[in-house]
Amino acid sequence: MMKKSRQAEEKRKEDITKRRQARERAIEESVAKWEADIVPDCRKVLRDPELRRIWWRGIPTKLRGHLWEKAVGNPLQMSKDMYRACSARAQRALQRGTFPEDSLVSLEKDMDETLPALHLFHRETGAMRQDLKDLLLAWTVARSDEGLGYTMGAARIGAMLLINIPLPHTFVTMRNLLDRHCMRSFYGGQKSRDEVEAYFRIFDTLLADSLPKVYFNFKQHHISPSEYLSDWLITMFIDHLPFEACARIWDVLLLEGDSFLFRAALGIIHVLEPRLFFPDRDELIRVLKGESKAAVEAAKRAAGAAGTEIHLVDLGARYEVYGLDEETIWERLEESEEWWKESTWSRLILRELPDA
């Protein structure tokens, strides 16, 4: 019985690998079409079903940074000199000892916990640690003009952008991305608490519509979106998904906006669904936080049976232990075409956040 199970799992992984390799070949072969039809005006992807299907397959690596920058745009109309000005203010504050100590401590801790498997932001040896710190210092200074401090999770956003977009462009993209309504709400502290609660109600409604059994089980155990959704959205899934899966989700959400954040979150719930019917509330919370000991032990046993070793990295790709990889999550997101309705999202936003 166990042998058949292992064989089935190995066959599943082989199929996933083949699909990923075929998709990656198709992406590389389509670079010329990207450069001719999409790069000049990426917004037309939203109006052209064929181009949208191409975009959903993933942006070619060589074009990703440029297209992320264009997809986010610059609604804040920030000048290229803004990064230099904010960075200079940050350095002066550090020299004078006036940079808020709590923000500095949070910023350093946040960087320590960012994409640990890549080793790019390690405190002593990370090749991109200083660039990330400079970016976050400037971002914190810019937010101080709005009466806001540092928010844990910002290092994840800055790091993902920095890997793909060079400074100072990273700063402009990060400021504009985190000024979109949903992200601005989750990064807004106590001032935006009512908006965050509204987004929780919106997600609850979407969950009830698409996964009623999970919704009712959560209700039975008094589990609300506030116990898991913030962790997903503030980091834009970086702590929970493998890096490439996360980058591909970013490809779409940077273009399509807030609604795709919630669509992706529902896709994750769809993948986790078989694990979300434990009778014990604490175990359900551990599953949602990516801390299920049972799942870790099962993954270790499966790896041992296959003659391999499993390496679990704290605070990185937490859901990988549940078998949640790029191809698996994307299967669910493609299936979501059957149940996701943009009109429902618009209606809920109008009802809960009429001023958004």
Side-chain angles (χ1 to χ4, degrees):
M1 186 74 174
M2 286 186 67
K3 185 178 179 180
K4 287 184 179 179
S5 177
R6 287 197 300 272
Q7 289 173 339
E9 178 62 15
E10 288 169 9
K11 177 70 165 57
R12 186 187 75 85
K13 288 181 178 178
E14 285 176 12
D15 290 343
I16 287 173
T17 299
K18 287 177 182 176
R19 288 203 305 273
R20 187 187 70 247
Q21 290 171 342
R23 181 180 58 77
E24 288 172 351
R25 282 195 300 271
I27 289 172
E28 293 309 313
E29 290 166 3
S30 68
V31 168
K33 186 168 183 62
W34 279 86
E35 292 176 334
D37 296 342
I38 296 176
V39 171
D41 178 16
C42 67
R43 307 306 299 179
K44 72 178 181 181
V45 170
L46 298 172
R47 306 186 297 271
D48 186 319
E50 181 193 354
L51 293 181
R52 188 167 179 264
R53 280 193 295 273
I54 292 173
W55 188 289
W56 269 53
R57 284 204 299 260
I59 299 174
T61 303
K62 64 180 284 189
L63 301 176
R64 177 166 276 154
H66 177 65
L67 286 171
W68 278 11
E69 198 177 346
K70 292 187 72 171
V72 174
N74 187 13
L76 294 176
Q77 298 184 323
M78 296 172 61
S79 72
K80 292 181 180 178
D81 294 330
M82 184 66 76
Y83 170 68
R84 187 169 55 192
C86 290
S87 185
R89 286 173 58 192
Q91 292 306 316
R92 285 196 299 271
L94 288 171
Q95 290 166 7
R96 294 170 182 166
T98 58
F99 198 98
E101 185 64 25
D102 57 342
S103 289
L104 201 55
V105 170
S106 295
L107 185 152
E108 293 282 0
K109 183 176 186 295
D110 207 14
M111 288 193 292
D112 289 341
E113 297 171 353
T114 293
L115 294 171
L118 299 186
H119 305 292
L120 290 171
F121 308 103
H122 188 273
R123 189 179 285 251
E124 280 85 30
T125 60
M128 300 182 74
R129 173 84 178 205
Q130 189 59 51
D131 282 349
L132 180 58
K133 183 173 182 177
D134 291 343
L135 171 65
L136 297 175
L137 288 170
W139 179 78
T140 304
V141 164
R143 275 167 59 86
S144 69
D145 296 337
E146 305 167 36
L148 297 169
Y150 188 80
T151 298
M152 292 292 287
R156 275 65 154 187
I157 307 301
M160 186 64 125
L161 292 173
L162 199 56
I163 287 168
N164 292 280
I165 303 171
L167 284 169
H169 302 280
T170 328
F171 177 75
V172 174
T173 303
M174 183 172 176
R175 284 283 286 148
N176 280 279
L177 174 61
L178 297 184
D179 196 62
R180 289 179 173 182
H181 194 275
C182 182
M183 297 304 289
R184 188 173 74 240
S185 299
F186 279 87
Y187 273 82
Q190 288 301 314
K191 293 180 180 179
S192 58
R193 190 63 210 167
D194 289 346
E195 293 174 356
V196 169
E197 291 295 336
Y199 278 115
F200 289 154
R201 291 194 297 273
I202 288 169
F203 188 78
D204 232 8
T205 302
L206 293 169
L207 182 63
D209 286 347
S210 60
L211 285 158
K213 291 181 181 178
V214 172
Y215 170 80
F216 285 119
N217 194 49
F218 280 6
K219 285 298 180 188
Q220 200 170 20
H221 290 90
H222 306 289
I223 296 173
S224 75
S226 64
E227 298 186 75
Y228 57 92
L229 191 63
S230 295
D231 288 345
W232 294 354
L233 300 191
I234 287 174
T235 64
M236 287 171 63
F237 310 112
I238 287 173
D239 281 348
H240 297 83
L241 302 181
F243 182 80
E244 284 303 326
C246 195
R248 192 172 167 197
I249 283 177
W250 277 47
D251 287 347
V252 178
L253 74 83
L254 295 190
L255 181 71
E256 301 201 359
D258 288 349
S259 68
F260 193 78
L261 273 170
F262 284 69
R263 188 170 177 174
L266 288 170
I268 290 172
I269 295 280
H270 271 269
V271 177
L272 297 181
E273 182 180 9
R275 303 175 184 274
L276 298 177
F277 295 100
F278 283 102
D280 179 69
R281 183 182 189 278
D282 290 342
E283 181 59 23
L284 281 170
I285 295 295
R286 282 193 288 270
V287 169
L288 289 166
K289 289 185 176 296
E291 298 168 355
S292 170
K293 292 180 180 178
V296 170
E297 290 305 316
K300 286 180 178 178
R301 287 196 299 272
T308 59
E309 187 177 354
I310 185 167
H311 298 280
L312 299 175
V313 180
D314 288 342
L315 302 168
R318 293 175 185 173
Y319 291 168
E320 199 165 18
V321 72
Y322 303 146
L324 202 159
D325 52 35
E326 180 180 357
E327 298 303 317
T328 305
I329 183 64
W330 219 259
E331 274 184 354
R332 297 301 187 276
L333 288 173
E334 287 174 345
E335 290 168 3
S336 72
E337 291 287 340
E338 299 175 8
W339 48 261
W340 177 265
K341 291 182 174 59
E342 202 68 26
S343 58
T344 301
W345 166 261
S346 299
R347 175 176 56 80
L348 291 171
I349 287 291
L350 189 61
R351 185 185 77 188
E352 299 289 349
L353 293 160
D355 297 326

